[in-house]
Amino acid sequence: MIRISNVQKAFGSAIVLKGIDLTVEKGELVCLIGASGSGKSTLLQCINGLEPIQGGEILVDGISVHDPKTDINKLRQKLGIVFQQYNAFPHLTALENVALAPRVVAKRSRAEARALAQKNLEHVGLGDKGDSLPSQLSGGQQQRLAIARALAMQPSYMLFDEVTSALDPELVGEVLETMRLLKSEGMTMVVVTHDINFARESADRVAFLCQGEVCEIGTAEEVIDHPRKEQTQKFLRREQRKPLEIVRSSVA
Amino acid sequence: MIGMNGYQFYWSIVWDSLPLLLAGAWVTIQITILAFIVGTLIAMPMAVARQQGEGWAYRFSTWWVELSRNTPAVFQLYLFYFGLGAFHINIPSYAAVLIAVSFNNAGYMTEIFRGGLNAIPRQQLSASRSLGMTSPQSFIHVIFPQMFKVIFLAYVTQGIWGMLNTSLGMLVGLQELSGATQYAQSASFRTFEFFLVTALIYYLIAKGLQFSSQIAFRLIYRS
Amino acid sequence: MQFQFANQGLAWSDAYFLAQGLLNTVRLAAAATLVGTLAGIVLGWLRTVSVTVRIATAPIIDILRSVPMIIQLILANSLLSILGFGASPFWFGTVALGAWMSAVTAEVVRAGLLSVPVQYRKSARSLGMNGYQELLYISIPLAFRTALAPWIGLVLSLIKDSALAGVVGYIEYMRSTQILITRTHETWLLLMGAGLFYFLICYPVSRYSRHLERKVRV
Ligand SMILES: Nc1ncnc2c1ncn2[C@@H]1O[C@H](COP(=O)(O)OP(=O)(O)O)[C@@H](O)[C@H]1O
Ligand SMILES: [Mg+2]
């Protein structure tokens, strides 16, 4: 379980998160939606300690992420994250991308790490791309590679930060398909997305972030189809009026 | 060898020679500026020729570029000083240093300019030609002004390298800053003190060139 | 050779003399490259991660780039003598060229490290790598790719600047050429030999560096 309580975060004098409360249960898929700049990416990066916080607490399976006594590198193995861009290490082949962390972080043998990598590549449908460099893969394949790389550490949670936003429209489907596959296997996921349709059909709960707070949270039906807050209604109206192309280019 | 404790630094003798050093610095500045201008004037047509990719002008400038960039500057100086001397063409060391540094500048600047030209859209040339300008007119009024803005930093850096290269004058008996220092210290053998002051003067000249070129950039491009 | 009379023509022993000069150039360039590169990598990394080091070393790097190599050689020579190091001309040359090399390499290393997109580093950390693992497996290999071509350019400059080590009494190739010119007056033959020597080393290397640069850009 991920328990986020009263998390505050600022970059210098700019306050980005003003006290976030959110709990993600085991096996749940929570979608985070919200305008560009509302702090969604920042929140994800706070969850696995890539960003320090100024107040509050984040507990992952009862362990405090920002406690200096916590072995953060060990804790991060429980939390896979995939970003919008620059995911696959460009100097390594697909197989090496996936095998690297099992080998150097989890201290598995070279052969073990490669076998594990191959298994995970196959899982995301890249079984035959092991020897390809990222530059030889499409954007969609690179994102699936990033998912396989995170899965190879056998995480309990997966965090996705607008992973389809930088992709050409025809490549979005394959990545969403992979995410649905993970969900069907019971993975606990936090997904930042601008894809309202994906949120509606896949999310157990949807949280709407605005001005550094969780404005509204509930099932997809509650938040997306019957939003109660005015900001949520305004945001959704704007999102739904936007043609897909603009949505993709405006995400930060 | 005298240990650190036994060595007395002795600065007043350098102070006494300061007029001599400053006279040398003035020669350094002269050659730096002249070689900068000459190098620029040669490099502009050579850069255009290098872009052509064929013909005698292309081959000529390619040779120049490769020779100036792939041999030591001191070799280039000896070529003009001793090399011409062997044909009984005895040029003064001032001219030899000026020619050598200009030669070196021109080679490096050609490549800098060529990079700048590549950054300018082809349509700019077509557009100015379509207005009825001749090819040289187009380059002078439209292409080069844009190019200099793009490559300004590398261009100034090359100018400063040219300044550093003038110190080779010392090796052919020219009393530019290094040569003058060499001469001034030879009576006292206070080598370290003299050359430390000289290093400082070089540093100040380099900073002065950098600073004044930044001001020139602001004035020219109003930014 | 010292005992030969002035104004004699070239002798076979002079070929040996030139070969020694050639070897000395290679020795000096190799030693200064090694020392300067290793020091430069450490300095460049420290300058990337520590603001204090960056501020403290900025003037030194600036000075090493704004003072002629010939002056740096003379200063290294006289300073090391004053400090009581009975060092050889080889070491004067290595110290001066190596100091310059470390300053400029540090800048190339820093630029290379800064060119690594922060997202790659975050990805690595998110997989549980610690800072050193991330540096070793991600940042260094990626920085290496961007830094290699400019670094080769620096080595070229160093090889060419090694031709100045004659001023501190080191008999490298250029200095031996000059000595023979003074004695034999075979000016053009010897100059052509020197030009060819440096050109044959530098030209292929600079071609390779430009090739790398194009490859990195695409
Ligand atoms: N590294 C950073 N330094 C300073 N400000 C940042 C940084 N990262 C994000 N921000 C700011 O924090 C706010 C939230 O950013 P982000 O979390 O990326 O929003 P979202 O992902 O919802 O679009 C923005 O105003 C952004 O400018
Ligand atoms: Mg974002």
Side-chain angles (χ1 to χ4, degrees), chain A residues 36-37 40-42 84 161-162 192 251-252:
Chain A
S36 204
K40 307 181 295 297
S41 301
T42 305
Q84 179 181 338
D161 189 1
E162 300 192 29
V192 172
V251 285

Side-chain angles (χ1 to χ4, degrees), chain A residues 180-213:
Chain A
R180 288 192 197 100
L181 174 68
L182 292 187
K183 159 128 176 94
S184 73
E185 293 166 352
M187 175 63 75
T188 311
M189 296 156 79
V190 182
V191 180
V192 172
T193 185
H194 275 253
D195 193 330
I196 302 297
N197 289 328
F198 175 81
R200 184 187 280 117
E201 70 192 45
S202 305
D204 298 310
R205 281 190 301 151
V206 176
F208 172 65
L209 249 69
C210 93
Q211 288 159 354
E213 289 174 5

Side-chain angles (χ1 to χ4, degrees), chain B residues 5 40 71 74 76 80 99 101 110 117 121 138 141 144-145 157 165 168 170 175-176 202:
Chain B
N5 302 333
T40 303
T71 57
V74 58
Q76 293 160 27
F80 291 111
I99 293 171
V101 177
T110 298
L117 290 178
S138 311
H141 295 292
F144 281 131
T157 303
N165 278 337
L168 299 174
M170 184 176 111
Q175 294 221 352
E176 39 63 65
Y202 272 115

